Amino acid sequence: MPVFHFNISDGALEPDLRGTELPDLQTARREAIRLLGEVLRDNADVFWREGRLTLTVTDAKGLALVALETFSVEASSVRGPTRENS
Amino acid sequence: MLERLVEKLARRDALSASDRAALLALPRTESRVRKGEVLVEEGDRVSESTLLIDGLSARFKTFGDGRRQLLALHIAGDFVDLHSFLLKVMDHGVTALTDCRIVTTPHAALRRLTEDRPHLTRLLWLNTLLDAAILREWIAGLGRRPALGRAAHLICELAVRNEVVGLGSKRGFGLPLTQAELGDALGLSTVHVNRVVQQLRDGLIAWEGGRLTILDWDALVALGEFDPAYLYLEPEPR
């Protein structure tokens, strides 16, 4: 079975050194979404600090196959110094 | 063969010599099951209960798309489906995760024990309650523990359970599971388990050839927020 590597980068690079054997890319896509959801669920504060999380699925040679991008968007009223309501 | 079950019960309460002998004398049939075999299917009506003598088995439920959740892991000495004695019909399946040796004992024999021996009956009842306490801890973990903590907690739990029956310790125990099976127990995708295991291998555990070695017990306990109270390790008159 082919080996797929699931690399997460959220500011700190977390390479998947060992990879996982999966039957095909279809399965890898499914696993990637599940992994993304599970990692986001467990790391809310880390995500908001960085504002971005990328999950890249590569083959055994390191060739990127599919990637998932998660990024936050902030309204200008939210960004910058907070204003006191009078 | 039933010595480990006796050890497991005796840890929680003193057994009289007579009750001990009665347990060890339960009529039983020993057999072997191969890794991957399903011992009991969800929906089966059963007339005997299964005790695990050797190997690793699991309770499970499957879903329409083939996904599986493991609901309990059994080690030697665990009375895999004692509760079927009273429930009669299985609401879950049981599968062998490794080659296993099991004994089955007819429900009629268990009923005779309950008619003559009230303290032993309470201890058998306790055995099912211990399963339930572990299940509650698992549910809490599935609900709220982050991935790394779930894995750490399970490893701590299995270390303690193996220690009770003399099969392992806080230094390590046998864990011949695949990462997919670990994922089925922890409610995590296989790939996430792979990640978590890589993180744990960084100083906390070694896991090779089915053997899990614990390198830093205290760190594992902290990571898993593990408190063995739910395993009821102290004897008390029951």
Side-chain angles (χ1 to χ4, degrees), chain B residues 16-64:
Chain B
S16 69
S18 164
D19 280 346
R20 207 175 266 260
L23 258 187
L24 294 171
L26 269 175
R28 57 192 178 273
T29 311
E30 185 183 335
S31 60
R32 288 171 188 271
V33 284
R34 271 192 313 280
K35 173 175 156 150
E37 252 183 77
V38 173
L39 280 72
V40 217
E41 301 263 10
E42 186 174 332
D44 278 357
R45 176 170 285 274
V46 292
S47 55
E48 54 192 20
S49 286
T50 304
L51 182 76
L52 188 64
I53 300 300
D54 190 49
L56 212 64
S57 66
R59 292 204 186 97
F60 71 96
K61 283 178 95 82
T62 43
F63 295 87

Side-chain angles (χ1 to χ4, degrees), chain A residues 14 16-17 19-20 31 38 42, chain B residues 147 189 191-192 194-195 198:
Chain A
E14 294 180 43
D16 171 15
L17 296 173
T20 307
E31 287 289 317
E38 289 168 16
D42 289 350
Chain B
S189 69
V191 168
H192 203 171
N194 188 302
R195 245 183 109 69
Q198 284 183 58

Side-chain angles (χ1 to χ4, degrees), chain A residues 6 8 14-20 22 31 34-35 38-39 41-42, chain B residues 67 145-147 150 187-192 194-195 198-199 201 208:
Chain A
F6 296 76
I8 293 184
E14 294 180 43
D16 171 15
L17 296 173
R18 284 206 183 204
T20 307
L22 294 171
E31 287 289 317
R34 282 194 73 193
L35 176 62
E38 289 168 16
V39 167
R41 183 202 53 211
D42 289 350
Chain B
R67 281 200 289 172
R145 257 191 257 286
R150 287 183 203 181
L188 298 173
S189 69
T190 307
V191 168
H192 203 171
N194 188 302
R195 245 183 109 69
Q198 284 183 58
Q199 288 171 287
R201 278 188 168 121
E208 302 295 327

Side-chain angles (χ1 to χ4, degrees), chain A:
Chain A
M1 289 202 288
V3 174
F4 298 91
H5 294 255
F6 296 76
N7 300 304
I8 293 184
S9 121
D10 55 358
L13 198 66
E14 294 180 43
D16 171 15
L17 296 173
R18 284 206 183 204
T20 307
E21 258 192 29
L22 294 171
D24 50 34
L25 183 59
Q26 168 82 328
T27 309
R29 286 177 194 263
R30 212 177 291 130
E31 287 289 317
I33 277 288
R34 282 194 73 193
L35 176 62
L36 180 66
E38 289 168 16
V39 167
L40 283 173
R41 183 202 53 211
D42 289 350
N43 292 283
D45 290 340
V46 172
F47 174 75
W48 281 107
R49 222 169 36 233
E50 303 298 324
R52 176 173 212 118
L53 193 144
T54 307
L55 195 163
T56 312
V57 184
T58 69
D59 65 13
K61 295 195 194 75
L63 183 73
L65 302 171
V66 293
L68 292 165
E69 294 277 2
T70 312
F71 56 92
S72 63
V73 177
E74 309 223 332
S76 52
S77 58
V78 164
R79 260 180 280 130
T82 51
R83 280 146 153 263
E84 292 286 327
N85 286 331
S86 49

